[in-house]
Amino acid sequence: MRGKITSRDDYVLASSKKLYKIGIYVPSIREEKREVVLNLLHLYANFSKQNIQSAFVRGGNVAISERVSAIDAANLILLNQKLARLGVYKKCVFTYINKTNLEDSEFKTMIARAQITSEKGRQTTRDKHVLQILEDIQNNKITESEALEKMNMALVEYKNKEIDLSKECYTPIFTYNPDVRDKASTKIDRGLDIGVNQVERNYPFDNLMQPLLGFTNYGKRMIDGVIYDDKMKFVAQSGVEKYRDGILSAKRDGKTIGQADRSGNIILNKHSKLIKRENGFDIKLTIPLNLQAKIQKILEESNLKYKAQEIIAGIMDPNTGEILALASSSSFNPNIGKRDKNITNKMRVVATERSFEPGSTIKPLVFSYLVNRKMINFQEVIDLHDGIYKLRTFTIRDSSPMKNATPEQILIKSSNIGMTKLTRKLQGSQMRDLFKTFGVGENTGIDIANEATGLLPKVSILNREVEKGTTSYGYGLRMTFMQLLRSYAVFNNGGFLVTPHVTKNLISPNEKIFYPNLEQPQQIISKESADYMKRLLHRVVKEGTAKRADVAGLVIGGKTGTARERNNGETIYNGSFFGYASDKKRTYTIGVVTYGSQANEDYYAAQTAAPVFARITELLVQEGYLERKITE
């Protein structure tokens, strides 16, 4: 079975179950015992008496249900054994077919019959199937083992076509079994036919944890040229399910291999081999469902208020890289039968799969690089041209015009002109090194499928004065939400770039616990530079553009960013806030992005992302993750 996925607070988020098909072979049940069987089946598995009675009337091998639970199936197996011991069933003879040579005389007879009926224009579906197998063999489209399996199964159909399976129980019935020798026969109390019909993946909390969790579909198989769902095989589609597909997937089913006696029973001796079933690993996430659910509700409410396309938010432990929440206002129900029709539009984990121009949220990254390399004169007063600056033929504007400012005030007041001037002496190679230092253009390594890398301009582009200037304030390059969240964690952990991850541990079928293999944190700026940036980002909240992100009783720092982009011919705005919340004991790096705000609504990050950040931080206090300092 495919392994289950659980939350940090031990809720089962995804699990698999087998559903059984229950059939009843009517000719094997003694007529005088059928009323007893009917009542017992109703009692054991709550089957409809009317359906069972209809099966008795139709005769043959009739399916009663195709979605029976494992518990009910186990009870029915015990019932079947008891009924057999009590003589309720007649003995039915089965003869096994397992030809091991394609030149077998019975195969040749079957092929000749199919060719003759084809020439006379009287071929049946069985005849067509046999001739198709023959053609596939001749054209090397199937292997010899595949051909043997197909020919054996076709031979079973030919032999059984003369038997009235709805009436006969004493006539030998033929069946194919690759583990039993050819022409072995057995008498069995057939009664109920109980077997696995399909496996099903269940997500008990519906849209919670989506799209992060991801989902599975069924595989496909072709039968007689028609494609059907293979309901015994999962194919992971997205999110954690897809990233961890290899370790979640079951490795093999259990079975016994060996020689069989005349009755078709495997002889257990030194030559027989028991292959144990090997289930997939279970996975425990770093994310508590309780926290994720409450953040998702905040995002859904905020999205209605701001009329955006989607709002996402994430919380990370900056020291370990553990993700405590990664939620979206856009989610879906992955359960089959309840699945959203537009699931393909909602299944993307936007936090890792979508890149965007970061706007002013890039400025602390640029500033910290310059600070760390001692490339800033903090006493310098820089001319900001009253908010309008001509760079060759390109005009740069500040939303809050200033005549001049120190470097710190440039970041606090978010001056585009100031950032352009702070980076004007950098070469294109230095600008590229700056962005690469923070992982722009590279995977973060997060354990979610389909991670995007963003866009890092070439050195030749960054050597151009205008392009170098615009990238310094977040245009002309692209980053993902996760890249930004990871970058801002650097200011909270002493200067280290860590690997974000949502997997807490992996549990093997024998209950051994393993931990994800993460890259070692890489120090990209000094502790002194990181601590300085942390203090400066606190001033940005207190004095600058992010005042609505502030929360009383906590230390809050961060930076807003608003960037426009074209979408289907219209201009939309992406508003971001990335920063931290701290109570001096614990610190969390938090990011919020509001995608697709309209110009006629609130669209600046200070109006959208910053207030959402504040609500999430208040929630962390309520849930005990942070402790508010009460001042007299």
Side-chain angles (χ1 to χ4, degrees):
M1 292 287 283
R2 187 176 181 86
K4 67 177 182 286
I5 303 175
T6 59
S7 65
R8 190 187 191 108
D9 45 359
D10 295 320
Y11 289 97
V12 176
L13 306 174
S15 62
S16 300
K17 65 179 180 181
K18 291 180 179 178
L19 295 175
Y20 290 76
K21 181 177 181 178
I22 309 299
I24 185 167
Y25 188 56
V26 178
S28 71
I29 303 174
R30 300 185 187 280
E31 287 78 0
E32 68 274 16
K33 302 293 185 182
R34 292 185 180 181
E35 186 68 25
V36 174
V37 172
L38 183 150
N39 289 321
L40 287 172
L41 289 176
H42 174 69
L43 179 66
Y44 269 68
N46 199 31
F47 292 146
S48 163
K49 288 186 177 182
Q50 184 177 353
N51 289 347
I52 301 170
Q53 188 63 54
S54 297
F56 287 157
V57 172
R58 291 198 303 274
N61 190 24
V62 185
I64 301 174
S65 176
E66 296 186 349
R67 293 183 59 83
V68 174
S69 70
I71 293 175
D72 283 345
N75 288 332
L76 289 170
I77 289 171
L78 293 174
L79 173 63
N80 202 36
Q81 293 169 348
K82 291 176 182 177
L83 293 176
R85 286 198 301 270
L86 293 171
V88 172
Y89 303 139
K90 304 172 187 176
K91 296 284 186 181
C92 296
V93 179
F94 280 80
T95 299
Y96 293 94
I97 289 177
N98 185 13
K99 307 295 183 183
T100 57
N101 189 334
L102 289 172
E103 298 299 318
D104 188 273
S105 60
E106 289 195 80
F107 282 166
K108 288 183 176 180
T109 301
M110 179 174 64
I111 292 169
R113 184 187 308 164
Q115 289 171 334
I116 291 170
T117 57
S118 178
E119 290 171 2
K120 293 183 177 181
R122 299 200 306 267
Q123 66 179 164
T124 64
T125 302
R126 293 188 192 92
D127 298 326
K128 289 180 182 178
H129 183 54
V130 169
L131 294 177
Q132 183 62 55
I133 297 170
L134 184 63
E135 183 181 329
D136 289 344
I137 294 170
Q138 293 168 345
N139 294 329
N140 295 318
K141 289 185 177 180
I142 55 177
T143 64
E144 183 176 343
S145 61
E146 290 172 333
L148 276 170
E149 181 178 350
K150 288 176 180 288
M151 291 294 281
N152 273 303
M153 293 175 72
L155 185 59
V156 167
E157 288 191 37
Y158 268 103
K159 284 181 170 289
N160 282 333
K161 74 175 184 178
E162 303 299 333
I163 303 172
D164 186 353
L165 296 176
S166 68
K167 305 293 184 185
E168 302 294 341
C169 184
Y170 293 105
T171 303
I173 298 168
F174 296 92
T175 187
Y176 168 60
N177 189 329
D179 296 324
V180 179
R181 68 178 179 81
D182 189 42
K183 296 183 180 179
S185 63
T186 185
K187 290 184 177 182
I188 64 170
D189 303 294
R190 186 166 175 184
L192 300 179
D193 285 337
I194 304 170
V196 178
N197 185 52
Q198 69 181 82
V199 289
E200 191 171 87
R201 194 71 167 162
N202 294 309
Y203 302 91
F205 294 98
D206 296 337
N207 67 328
L208 289 182
M209 285 286 186
Q210 296 295 355
L212 162 69
L213 196 59
F215 67 104
T216 62
N217 272 337
Y218 287 122
K220 302 295 180 183
R221 60 176 177 172
M222 184 176 289
I223 302 175
D224 295 333
V226 180
I227 297 176
Y228 297 91
D229 284 340
D230 183 350
K231 294 191 175 181
M232 296 299 293
K233 182 180 180 182
F234 291 127
V235 178
Q237 299 297 304
S238 62
V240 175
E241 286 273 27
K242 185 173 181 179
Y243 186 91
R244 295 291 185 190
D245 185 45
I247 202 160
L248 283 166
S249 297
K251 304 303 177 287
R252 63 189 178 198
D253 291 326
K255 64 178 180 178
T256 303
I257 298 175
Q259 291 182 324
D261 58 23
R262 290 184 61 83
S263 297
N265 301 307
I266 299 296
I267 301 170
L268 299 177
N269 56 26
K270 65 180 181 179
H271 301 294
S272 61
K273 184 178 181 182
L274 174 64
I275 299 177
K276 292 184 178 180
R277 185 176 72 181
E278 190 173 338
N279 293 327
F281 278 53
D282 294 337
I283 291 177
K284 187 167 190 172
L285 300 185
T286 59
I287 300 173
L289 177 67
N290 181 58
L291 180 64
Q292 176 89 356
K294 291 178 179 179
I295 291 176
Q296 183 170 317
K297 184 179 180 182
I298 289 173
L299 300 185
E300 289 169 351
E301 292 172 352
S302 300
N303 201 52
L304 288 173
K305 178 179 179 180
Y306 300 123
K307 298 180 175 62
Q309 290 177 351
E310 182 175 0
I311 303 178
I312 63 172
I315 304 173
M316 185 168 79
D317 183 325
N319 296 302
T320 65
E322 285 189 354
I323 301 296
L324 295 180
L326 193 61
S328 170
S329 63
S330 178
S331 59
F332 61 89
N333 189 333
N335 287 298
I336 292 175
K338 301 178 182 178
R339 188 169 288 178
D340 293 25
K341 291 181 180 179
N342 60 342
I343 193 170
T344 53
N345 297 325
K346 293 185 174 183
M347 63 189 279
R348 291 177 65 201
V349 183
V350 169
T352 58
E353 295 184 49
R354 177 176 177 174
S355 66
F356 60 100
E357 290 181 312
S360 293
T361 53
I362 199 72
K363 291 173 182 175
L365 280 59
V366 175
F367 200 89
S368 67
Y369 180 91
L370 299 174
V371 168
N372 195 60
R373 283 157 180 76
K374 297 179 171 52
M375 300 175 74
I376 290 181
N377 176 3
F378 292 101
Q379 308 308 316
E380 182 182 7
V381 177
I382 298 172
D383 186 2
L384 299 181
H385 307 275
D386 291 319
I388 301 176
Y389 178 56
K390 200 84 168 178
L391 187 61
R392 295 187 181 276
T393 59
F394 185 76
T395 301
I396 300 174
R397 299 177 185 274
D398 283 339
S399 57
S400 300
M402 293 185 289
K403 184 177 181 61
N404 51 54
T406 63
E408 287 185 346
Q409 284 299 313
I410 284 171
L411 184 64
I412 291 169
K413 298 299 183 181
S414 196
S415 169
N416 296 339
I417 297 170
M419 293 304 300
T420 300
K421 289 199 168 187
L422 286 174
T423 56
R424 67 185 182 277
K425 293 182 180 179
L426 294 182
Q427 299 296 318
S429 58
Q430 290 175 298
M431 286 294 288
R432 187 174 171 86
D433 177 66
L434 184 165
F435 296 128
K436 282 184 69 68
T437 295
F438 284 92
V440 181
E442 301 173 354
N443 288 326
T444 66
I446 192 165
D447 41 352
I448 300 172
N450 306 323
E451 184 184 9
T453 59
L455 174 65
L456 175 59
K458 297 178 181 178
V459 171
S460 58
I461 294 174
L462 293 172
N463 271 326
R464 301 171 191 165
E465 195 171 17
V466 171
E467 282 75 4
K468 180 172 63 176
T470 56
T471 57
S472 74
Y473 56 86
Y475 283 91
L477 76 163
R478 300 180 72 86
M479 295 180 71
T480 66
F481 174 95
M482 192 54 60
Q483 286 173 331
L484 280 162
L485 191 69
R486 181 195 194 198
S487 296
Y488 271 72
V490 170
F491 308 136
N492 307 136
N493 64 16
F496 288 89
L497 201 62
V498 297
T499 302
H501 56 283
V502 297
T503 302
K504 182 73 174 176
N505 53 48
L506 307 104
I507 305 98
S508 70
N510 61 0
E511 298 186 348
K512 288 185 178 180
I513 296 177
F514 299 86
Y515 294 90
N517 185 21
L518 305 174
E519 289 189 16
Q520 286 295 314
Q522 178 186 358
Q523 185 151 24
I524 60 172
I525 62 174
S526 68
K527 184 179 186 305
E528 292 74 21
S529 296
D531 291 344
Y532 167 77
M533 288 303 302
K534 186 175 182 179
R535 294 191 298 271
L536 186 56
L537 288 173
H538 179 55
R539 290 182 61 193
V540 172
V541 171
K542 290 294 187 181
E543 306 170 29
T545 59
K547 293 176 182 176
R548 294 180 68 179
D550 203 12
V551 175
L554 297 174
V555 179
I556 305 295
K559 183 73 184 74
T560 56
T562 306
R564 63 185 177 275
E565 65 178 47
R566 298 291 290 175
N567 181 53
N568 296 326
E570 64 176 353
T571 300
I572 59 173
Y573 295 86
N574 300 322
S576 310
F577 182 87
F578 285 86
Y580 67 88
S582 176
D583 61 5
K584 297 295 181 73
K585 294 179 183 178
R586 290 162 293 185
T587 300
Y588 297 103
T589 304
I590 306 170
V592 178
V593 176
T594 304
Y595 292 103
S597 296
Q598 302 295 320
N600 59 348
E601 303 288 342
D602 290 339
Y603 67 86
Y604 280 111
Q607 299 169 307
T608 58
V612 174
F613 174 96
R615 286 190 65 184
I616 291 172
T617 303
E618 289 283 6
L619 177 65
L620 291 177
V621 174
Q622 295 167 18
E623 296 297 313
Y625 290 90
L626 292 170
E627 185 176 347
R628 195 192 309 272
K629 181 181 179 181
I630 301 174
T631 56
E632 296 295 335

